[in-house]
Amino acid sequence: MEMVEIQTWLFQIEPLERESLSHFLGRFRRANDLTPTGLGKAAGLGGAIARWEKFRFNPPPSQQQLEALAVVVGVDVDRLVQMLPPTGVGMKMEPIRLCAACYTESPCHKIEWQLKVIQGCDRHQLILLSECPNCGARFKIPAVWVDGWCHRCFLSFADMVKYQKFYR
Ligand SMILES: [Zn+2]
Ligand SMILES: [Zn+2]
């Protein structure tokens, strides 16, 4: 009952293709002016939202947790699962990585960039960036990617594409 009430006042947003959970949660929270704690409360998930935004999936989100989140964000559990690393596939919490060419086409952080087995973007044949190629700053967690630029030197993610090297 409580959940139904919540849904009526929350804005829903469409997940982007291959978007990671961290990036999606950040966009959802900003659309609804919620902190990680606020969203955690609304979904009955406590501190899990803040952990997930940092890609801390140990222990992995349970089916029950995903169902609770699905109700609040208005996205199916199956779709939420696509924002997570596939079962049994190792992922890196850091560094946060970026294919600037992908970001230009669809401005979001993709979950596959954090998978250990992935070194490059197979769409663009480019090696992923692990830091700003201009100033060396590490990328922040995708949940706080708002402007699409380096938080230190303001080089736009789109402009970083020219620093990306092709792999073979
Ligand atoms: Zn790419
Ligand atoms: Zn920079």
Side-chain angles (χ1 to χ4, degrees), residues 65-106:
Q65 286 177 314
L66 291 175
E67 281 167 12
L69 182 63
V71 171
V72 173
V73 299
V75 171
D76 291 346
V77 170
D78 288 351
R79 187 65 189 83
L80 290 175
V81 168
Q82 292 173 32
M83 301 180 195
L84 298 168
T87 315
V89 175
M91 68 167 290
K92 301 175 188 242
M93 288 189 297
E94 52 187 12
I96 297 298
R97 301 195 294 185
L98 168 73
C99 172
C102 282
Y103 193 87
T104 307
E105 290 166 14
S106 159

Side-chain angles (χ1 to χ4, degrees), residues 8 14 30 34 38 49 52 58 83 97 114 141 152 163:
T8 60
E14 281 294 316
R30 284 188 297 279
L34 286 167
I49 299 293
W52 296 345
N58 194 11
M83 301 180 195
R97 301 195 294 185
Q114 298 311 123
I141 59 166
R152 194 197 283 166
Y163 295 91

Side-chain angles (χ1 to χ4, degrees), residues 132 134-137 150 152-155:
C132 171
N134 185 48
C135 78
C150 169
R152 194 197 283 166
C153 74
F154 306 109
L155 181 68

Side-chain angles (χ1 to χ4, degrees), residues 99 101-102 121 123-124:
C99 172
C102 282
C121 167
R123 291 197 176 198
H124 299 105

Side-chain angles (χ1 to χ4, degrees), residues 20-84:
S20 68
L21 186 65
S22 175
H23 195 269
F24 175 79
L25 290 175
R27 288 200 302 126
F28 180 83
R29 288 196 296 96
R30 284 188 297 279
N32 288 289
D33 204 15
L34 286 167
T35 61
T37 312
L39 177 55
K41 269 188 197 156
L45 289 168
I49 299 293
R51 284 203 308 279
W52 296 345
E53 288 190 1
K54 294 177 187 131
F55 294 119
R56 291 192 184 152
F57 296 133
N58 194 11
S62 67
Q63 181 69 18
Q64 208 176 8
Q65 286 177 314
L66 291 175
E67 281 167 12
L69 182 63
V71 171
V72 173
V73 299
V75 171
D76 291 346
V77 170
D78 288 351
R79 187 65 189 83
L80 290 175
V81 168
Q82 292 173 32
M83 301 180 195
L84 298 168

